Amino acid sequence: MKKQLFIVITTILFTSFNMTNTAFAEDAISEELSKAEKALVPIAAFTASGNISKLKESLHQGLDDGLTINEIKEALVHIYAYAGFPRSLIGINTFIAVMDERQSQGKIDKAGKEASALPDDFDQNAYGHKVRNTLVGRDISNRTSGYPVFTPIIDKFLVEHLFADIFVRDVLNHKQRELVTISTLSALPGTEPMFKGHLGIAMRMGYSESQLEDFIEVLRERVSGHVADRSALVLAEALKTTNPKTISKALEVTRKTSPVVASSEYFTGRATVESRFTSKATGSYGGGTVNFEAGARTAWHTHPVGQTLIVISGRGLVQSEGEAVQEILPGDVVWIPANERHWHGAAPDSAMSHVAISEPLNGSGVQWMEHVSDEQYNK
Ligand code: MN
């Protein structure tokens, strides 16, 4: 499937999703799902399909990949709302067996945080409506047709139980919950309309098109080719209705968004990224503004089809491997050829901001390597 969305400085911590202090924080968000996110996919899919031996493997993998015990418990509980108590309880019993095995092997796993206590006056109805409206992207509190009218009780259960009692538990955030949901539905043939709807919700919660394509790849590698193929068809349908490229026909001003801190895995010092963009017409290029504090710089990296940098403020440095470090100033335009190992950043005594523009190849716009050492930087 053609990748249409991408991010130039791909690997950015998306702090607005409240992912700190969990395994998810260790993995930067990029075109791919993080390691912890990937680990959730087969756990949910095999719980939903009831494949206990594969579920066992996935649970071991999830713990090895940094999911906490409580995050996995929470995912297994969440699944009951989508796959039923029998699947969920079998999943939980399987997890108990896996925990016993690991204990006898002397493995120590992180318990992780518990759900925060709720206020005494927690209003399930109000909270549930608010959550559901946010997930679906419009106010559906007062529908006048369909199942909420025919069977109001199930709407009450959805609002007050699923979207309040369950969703309020902050062991998993709403974005992570949607990943568990789409992974569950991927393994439940016959739920395609819901699956498609939840893929749209997953995008609304912050997953990019590329990350959902990566989700399909994770299904292919860790669940089954059949589940991946079926899911790819549903994703293609979902993208037709939610892809901004197909619905954006008017002139658009996108306001500056709050800066997102760049991942320390790929940056030294503090850098932030804001005002990210993609070509609306073809999706062939994209980028964003990167702000480096004095001394901050990217790790060594390459771009598969090159990169353009436009310096907009401060004083910076750029280096191609084996060549001298060059100073860059506001107004300078830097072209980095395809597959050229390089880094860019601020000068030691000055901040620097640049706009970065690049094109992806097979869905990837950057390949990250090791950090630029102080010795290399100070040359
Ligand atoms: Mn670069």
Side-chain angles (χ1 to χ4, degrees):
M1 191 181 300
K2 190 165 162 255
K3 312 263 178 172
Q4 282 148 329
L5 282 182
F6 67 100
I7 300 161
V8 161
I9 298 292
T10 36
T11 331
I12 293 157
L13 265 183
F14 218 62
T15 48
S16 57
F17 284 103
N18 192 23
M19 288 181 164
T20 44
N21 302 322
T22 78
F24 297 93
E26 291 157 20
D27 300 293
I29 282 192
S30 68
E31 289 152 18
E32 291 197 357
L33 297 175
S34 71
K35 207 163 141 186
E37 286 171 325
K38 285 182 193 196
L40 276 178
V41 173
I43 290 175
F46 290 129
T47 301
S49 64
N51 186 333
I52 293 170
S53 64
K54 298 292 274 181
L55 174 59
K56 264 193 176 170
E57 279 173 34
S58 310
L59 289 165
H60 276 292
Q61 182 78 54
L63 290 166
D64 290 342
D65 285 351
L67 287 171
T68 67
I69 296 165
N70 285 337
E71 283 166 347
I72 293 177
K73 279 187 194 171
E74 196 65 28
L76 295 171
V77 170
H78 178 96
I79 290 167
Y80 107 72
Y82 299 88
F85 276 116
R87 295 293 191 210
S88 177
L89 290 171
I90 288 171
I92 288 165
N93 285 333
T94 307
F95 191 36
I96 291 171
V98 164
M99 292 301 302
D100 288 346
E101 261 177 51
R102 292 174 76 88
Q103 218 152 23
S104 68
Q105 294 162 352
K107 287 188 181 158
I108 296 170
D109 297 303
K110 268 189 292 185
K113 72 172 249 181
E114 302 274 351
S116 304
L118 296 181
D120 291 339
D121 59 352
F122 180 61
D123 182 341
Q124 287 151 307
N125 190 269
Y127 183 91
H129 274 297
K130 199 176 115 200
V131 167
R132 188 169 67 175
N133 290 341
T134 306
L135 294 174
V136 301
R138 61 184 198 282
D139 191 342
I140 57 165
S141 313
N142 296 300
R143 279 178 295 181
T144 53
S145 64
Y147 71 79
V149 175
F150 188 65
T151 45
I153 191 64
I154 199 165
D155 204 47
K156 183 179 162 74
F157 291 159
L158 279 167
V159 168
E160 297 183 4
H161 182 55
L162 173 57
F163 294 115
D165 293 340
I166 297 181
F167 267 70
V168 77
R169 294 173 54 79
D170 54 4
V171 180
L172 294 176
N173 65 33
H174 296 176
K175 187 181 180 199
Q176 293 155 352
R177 287 186 182 279
E178 276 311 312
L179 181 65
V180 175
T181 302
I182 58 176
S183 305
T184 302
L185 296 178
S186 76
L188 295 176
T191 61
E192 282 77 4
M194 287 78 188
F195 187 15
K196 181 183 155 188
H198 280 281
L199 286 164
I201 293 172
M203 293 184 94
R204 219 168 283 121
M205 292 297 103
Y207 286 115
S208 68
E209 189 173 324
S210 301
Q211 287 175 316
L212 291 181
E213 283 166 1
D214 189 41
F215 161 70
I216 303 290
E217 287 317 301
V218 175
L219 290 176
R220 192 173 306 284
E221 284 164 20
R222 304 192 190 184
V223 180
S224 81
H226 176 70
V227 166
D229 288 343
R230 201 177 61 80
S231 302
L233 289 176
V234 181
L235 177 59
E237 279 298 310
L239 291 177
K240 264 191 226 163
T241 47
T242 51
N243 188 345
K245 204 186 89 187
T246 57
I247 56 172
S248 167
K249 293 192 176 83
L251 184 152
E252 244 178 71
V253 176
T254 307
R255 300 294 169 194
K256 184 174 152 169
T257 51
S258 34
V260 172
V261 178
S263 168
S264 61
E265 211 176 326
Y266 307 113
F267 287 77
T268 302
R270 184 181 161 85
T272 61
V273 182
E274 61 196 22
S275 303
R276 292 190 309 204
F277 59 88
T278 39
S279 145
K280 297 267 185 202
T282 61
S284 62
Y285 65 86
T289 303
V290 190
N291 310 302
F292 298 86
E293 288 185 1
R297 66 267 187 182
T298 67
W300 288 100
H301 63 284
T302 60
H303 303 284
V305 274
Q307 182 182 45
T308 301
L309 305 175
I310 305 165
V311 182
I312 53 177
S313 69
R315 195 161 59 84
L317 299 173
V318 63
Q319 185 187 20
S320 253
E321 191 170 43
E323 291 176 27
V325 176
Q326 296 193 57
E327 184 183 65
I328 47 176
L329 295 167
D332 288 353
V333 177
V334 181
W335 166 246
I336 291 140
N339 301 315
E340 183 88 1
R341 240 172 84 90
H342 71 288
W343 59 268
H344 27 109
D349 55 353
S350 169
M352 188 273 286
S353 293
H354 66 47
V355 175
I357 306 167
S358 70
E359 293 172 61
L361 186 66
N362 300 322
S364 169
V366 63
Q367 171 132 38
W368 289 109
M369 296 154 193
E370 72 277 12
H371 281 99
V372 174
S373 67
D374 288 343
E375 196 195 340
Q376 291 169 326
Y377 177 74
N378 289 320
K379 256 184 194 168

